[in-house]
Amino acid sequence: MRLEVETSELERIGKAFQAISKETSYEGLAKALLKAALDYSDAGRGAVLLSESGELLTRADASFPRERPKFLASQPPASEFRLPVDLSERVLTRREIVLRDDGWEGSALIDSARCRRGPIVQLCLPLIHRDQTVGVLYLESERKETFGPRYVSVVSMLASQAAVSFESVQLFEALRETNLWMVKGQQIGRMGSYRWNTRTLLSRASRECYRLFDIDFDVNPVPFEVFKSRVHPDDIPALEEALAEAVGTKSPFSHEYRVVHRDGTTLHVAAVGQFDVGPTGDVELEGIISDITDRKAAEQALTDARTELARAIRLASLGELAGSIIHEINQPLTGIIMSAEACLRWLERSPIEPAEARRSALRVIEQGRRAGDVVAGLRTLVRGAQLRFADVQINDAIEEILLLLKRDLERAGVTLNTALDKSIPTIEGDRVQLQQVVLNLVRNAIDAMASVTGKRRVLSLSTKVGGAGVAVVIADTGIGIAPASRDRLFDALYTTKRDGLGLGLSICRKIIAVHGGRLWVEENTPNGATFTFTLPLHQSGSISANH
Ligand code: ADP
């Protein structure tokens, strides 16, 4: 029977030791020690204070923890803990274990003392770690017998264990704070760190990386396929290429791409990294991924502003052009008036001077022709050439243009798919002008695909005949058209190209309109643009070229 009691008591002490040594925070340690000490007696009241206001807390490293907080656990909860001066002196400074049973009435637990009267017994022990007093365990009771010698020795052992645990708590707390610091820093900087094993293709990543890629925290490590599923599909080929090259040469990795979240949010990220051998002996890419969406937006705004500026400059130079046109035409006009007045004067002479009058009249004709030439020249400049309507076999006209563009298409890495409807009858139109339209649309398509990397560049050109007439469809897999700019594409001088004039589409639309047809643009699927123009099958009468 006696043996059983001792065994169960030993078990309780063992459990209390375990509970104390399991703690990884100051607060947890203070609470665990107090609970163990109270559970083991009928004291009922007590407190544990870690890092008392003196120089009690040693640091785990130079910077963490940055402050020296106090941790108080008390039963019943007390707002303040104040050791009487003599106790403090003996326990904290002289490191004595003090048992006071001489009818003392002042409790160290400030609030709870108010509800209680009468003498108390106090037991107070220092917590000593590496020769420093890092805390105090305080217990009180009304009964003298509560703190018998056996109890005091068990509680001293618990206090020693708590002081030992203090060391690991210190390390844990420092680690926690360092980690928190790093996580916070990454969160503020919108950047995450990662390690990618090039053999297993698995990645380990910081929390911010998970947020940037919208991956659930429980996916750990992250398989390459999961990571890839968040990369914008258009950016995957280029990313894989960049990764393969970096892995092949073991050179530093640096690449920008887009990330698409499950809710469709798109981010621009910049990844950098370098290779080293990981703990398992595998080659790993270690680096940082940062969110550069804001930077990209700013860059885009700058590009837009530049485009606007370029357009404004072009408009201003059009003003200059108009000025020189006026000058060019004014000269012959003034000449005409002067020559005509001279002619009149020769005719009004008496006798008449027919030879001189004739010469003046000839000058009028000559200058009139000059003015006519200037106007014709300007028209050629603006309209290309005069429209000459004739029977046109549209498929042949297109094939001729494609032959002309063969080298451009090859150079631009564009695959050409044609589907020309052989049943199309001849139509009436200006062959050269219609070819100009096709040439322009194909050139634009090549330009639109030039900046698309890592994906196939395909130009599909088809013709078909239907109720509305002939339709010519030119589809590309280029950058496509932003909805905001769709209405402006056909405006004269609208361009997004550095060297563009912004006249191509507006001229194309005019040419097609003169033919009685329509030209419009739609989105191509999954990406790119589709330009379609229609031409009526039978022109009613001939159309004046001077529209
Ligand atoms: P320019 O080629 O001189 O810019 P255009 O009038 O031919 O003038 O084209 C106007 C604008 O329309 C281009 O700058 C471009 O932004 C847009 N665009 C034309 N074709 C395409 C296309 N196939 N895909 C995407 N954008 C296009």
Side-chain angles (χ1 to χ4, degrees), residues 440-441 444-449 474 476 478-481 485 488-491 493-497 499-508 521 528-531:
N440 222 319
L441 296 178
N444 275 349
I446 293 175
D447 288 348
M449 289 188 281
I474 295 169
D476 62 60
I479 47 171
I481 286 146
S485 57
R488 301 168 62 195
L489 288 197
F490 297 95
D491 290 352
L493 297 180
Y494 177 79
T495 182
T496 56
K497 299 172 195 167
D499 308 317
L501 268 181
L503 288 175
L505 286 178
S506 77
I507 291 174
C508 285
V521 65
T530 301
F531 283 85

